[in-house]
Amino acid sequence: MSLKAGIVGLPNVGKSTLFNAITKKNVLAANYPFATIEPNVGVVFVPDKRLDFLNELYQPKSLVPTTFEFTDIAGLVQGAASGEGLGNKFLSHIREVDAIVEVVRCFDDASITHVSGKTDPLRDIDIINVELILADLEIVVNRIGKIEKKAATTKEKDVVLELDVLKRAQTALEKNIPLRAVAYTEDELLLIKNFNFLTLKPIIYVANVSEEDVVVGDNAYSEQVKTYAAKEGNEVIVMCAKLEEELSSVEASERDEFLKSIGIANSGLDKLIFATYDLLGLATFFTAGADECRAWTFKKGMKAPKCAGIIHKDFERGFIKAEVMSYADLVELKDEKKVKEAGKLRIEGKDYVLQDGDICYFRFNV
């Protein structure tokens, strides 16, 4: 299941530095706007200690973690929705992602030019969000203009419903309210899905602080971002992108030891990956055996046949049953055979909703 998050923000807030750390790629991170012109795409492994346990238990020939895709999108500027700073091109890149990671500068550094003159995280958030709102509003107004007459004359149910949804969207956007804050039914969401509205995408904020402040955990700037995000019902990850980039080239054991020495339990990157994963309603199931132990990403609420189809479409098409054991049971009993003997290996049918941590073997016939 290929899902991706787009890293956005004003120029020189630390987006490309964060991207370097995430993907361990050496993309251009220069001290001037538009250093990143084309979106850089990188795939990161999702850290999962459960897979480490399965590896120790089964000693497989192959170990495959699940992955998540991050796209580094060039810095937006005020006026992007009307084409400023190559804005239209950058906005089109954001439309292709499933979630938005908005990096907000929460540090002072005279050597790094701020596009707006000085550090002000709330102003920066407002600039980005207004540009996304204006871009969506343009699409909404244009579409209303095309279908309004048809809805009035033909009274077609789908057209009337679409017009109603779009007019509600227009009202919200004109009040500076992102579409993710508007309540829609499942049918209405399906109706507007193809528009790829920017402000309908879930969002998470990264408060990029200095190396000194990340040890403390916060500063006055990041506290402002947290207060703002709390009103929206969104999450904030506080991290130092520069430190994360430096740590990305260090061996895992050394990195963990260093973080422990400065009183940080988990790296900012791990927190961001987990938070983004959760933001999209994702979970993980496993397949395990002597040949391969593998983690698979699925959407929470998906039933067994759909999850089987993530492995191979034939598995979904010819689905019969799923043999399922929970990760917790396997950890407790430390042996697949003992799980079976304890009666904790379940046979589930087509209506079974997979749970995070399920270890599955799918039976199928095509």
Side-chain angles (χ1 to χ4, degrees):
M1 177 173 286
S2 178
L3 292 166
K4 56 187 176 181
I7 305 173
V8 306
L10 294 177
N12 297 343
V13 298
K15 295 183 295 69
S16 294
T17 304
L18 174 60
F19 179 81
N20 289 350
I22 287 173
T23 63
K24 298 183 181 179
K25 286 189 175 182
N26 190 27
V27 298
L28 181 62
N31 179 24
Y32 56 89
F34 316 124
T36 309
I37 302 301
E38 294 299 330
N40 296 283
V41 178
V43 176
V44 60
F45 292 127
V46 177
D48 198 323
K49 292 182 179 179
R50 295 173 298 182
L51 195 61
D52 296 335
F53 171 80
L54 294 177
N55 186 42
E56 289 183 17
L57 183 65
Y58 287 94
Q59 296 292 305
K61 297 174 185 175
S62 174
L63 185 70
V64 185
T66 189
T67 59
F68 197 85
E69 188 174 301
F70 283 91
T71 301
D72 178 31
I73 296 166
L76 293 168
V77 294
Q78 195 163 15
S82 57
E84 289 293 327
L86 305 180
N88 288 329
K89 187 175 182 180
F90 298 164
L91 289 169
S92 70
H93 293 149
I94 304 173
R95 294 199 187 281
E96 298 169 6
V97 304
D98 301 291
I100 294 173
V101 176
E102 185 170 332
V103 181
V104 185
R105 179 167 166 169
C106 293
F107 65 89
D108 292 316
D109 189 334
S111 66
I112 300 177
T113 305
H114 193 293
V115 71
S116 297
K118 65 176 184 177
T119 306
D120 185 340
L122 297 188
R123 176 207 57 212
D124 294 356
I125 289 173
D126 188 58
I127 289 172
I128 296 293
N129 291 354
V130 165
E131 294 306 322
L132 301 186
I133 283 172
L134 289 174
D136 280 351
L137 184 60
E138 182 180 5
I139 290 175
V140 168
V141 170
N142 287 342
R143 182 59 180 170
I144 287 175
K146 290 180 180 178
I147 67 170
E148 195 164 25
K149 186 175 180 180
K150 183 178 180 181
T153 55
T154 66
K155 305 293 184 184
E156 289 181 26
K157 184 179 178 181
D158 288 348
V159 180
V160 171
L161 178 60
E162 181 183 354
L163 181 63
D164 177 64
V165 174
L166 290 176
K167 284 195 170 182
R168 283 164 50 207
Q170 181 181 8
T171 299
L173 293 169
E174 288 176 344
K175 293 180 179 178
N176 210 29
I177 298 172
L179 298 183
R180 74 180 73 88
V182 180
Y184 300 102
T185 66
E186 287 187 17
D187 288 342
E188 289 172 340
L189 285 173
L190 283 173
L191 197 65
I192 61 176
K193 180 180 178 181
N194 290 334
F195 290 109
N196 282 328
F197 287 128
L198 301 172
T199 64
L200 193 57
K201 298 179 188 296
I203 191 169
I204 189 168
Y205 296 99
V206 169
N208 185 17
V209 301
S210 67
E211 294 179 60
E212 293 77 16
D213 288 332
V214 77
V215 177
V216 179
D218 268 307
N219 62 24
Y221 294 137
S222 62
E223 288 288 1
Q224 290 176 22
V225 177
K226 284 186 174 181
T227 300
Y228 179 93
K231 292 177 182 177
E232 295 183 325
N234 292 318
E235 190 172 351
V236 178
I237 303 296
V238 178
M239 70 165 71
C240 172
K242 182 180 177 182
L243 176 62
E244 297 291 338
E245 184 182 25
E246 292 169 356
L247 290 175
S248 68
S249 59
V250 175
E251 289 292 331
S253 57
E254 292 182 40
R255 181 196 63 205
D256 293 344
E257 188 63 33
F258 173 76
L259 291 173
K260 185 178 178 180
S261 71
I262 60 175
I264 298 176
N266 294 302
S267 74
L269 288 184
D270 284 354
K271 291 177 184 176
L272 176 60
I273 293 167
F274 293 141
T276 310
Y277 206 68
D278 188 60
L279 182 68
L280 287 170
L282 304 179
T284 304
F285 74 87
F286 302 92
T287 51
D291 286 333
E292 179 184 82
C293 287
R294 183 165 183 162
W296 303 86
T297 299
F298 70 100
K299 279 268 193 182
K300 293 176 183 177
M302 283 177 65
K303 293 183 178 180
K306 283 287 184 185
C307 288
I310 294 170
I311 299 174
H312 197 288
K313 284 299 177 184
D314 284 350
F315 286 22
E316 180 180 359
R317 187 159 55 93
F319 180 88
I320 300 173
K321 296 287 182 182
E323 294 181 8
V324 182
M325 59 180 166
S326 74
Y327 173 78
D329 288 338
L330 186 59
V331 169
E332 180 186 351
L333 299 171
K334 296 180 175 60
D335 187 275
E336 187 175 315
K337 185 178 178 181
K338 290 180 180 179
V339 173
K340 293 178 182 177
E341 291 172 350
K344 293 187 175 183
L345 178 69
R346 311 186 308 277
I347 304 298
E348 302 288 0
K350 293 181 178 180
D351 290 330
Y352 176 67
V353 177
L354 245 68
Q355 301 300 306
D356 184 55
D358 278 350
I359 302 166
C360 305
Y361 174 79
F362 296 106
R363 299 179 186 174
F364 73 103
N365 184 36
V366 290

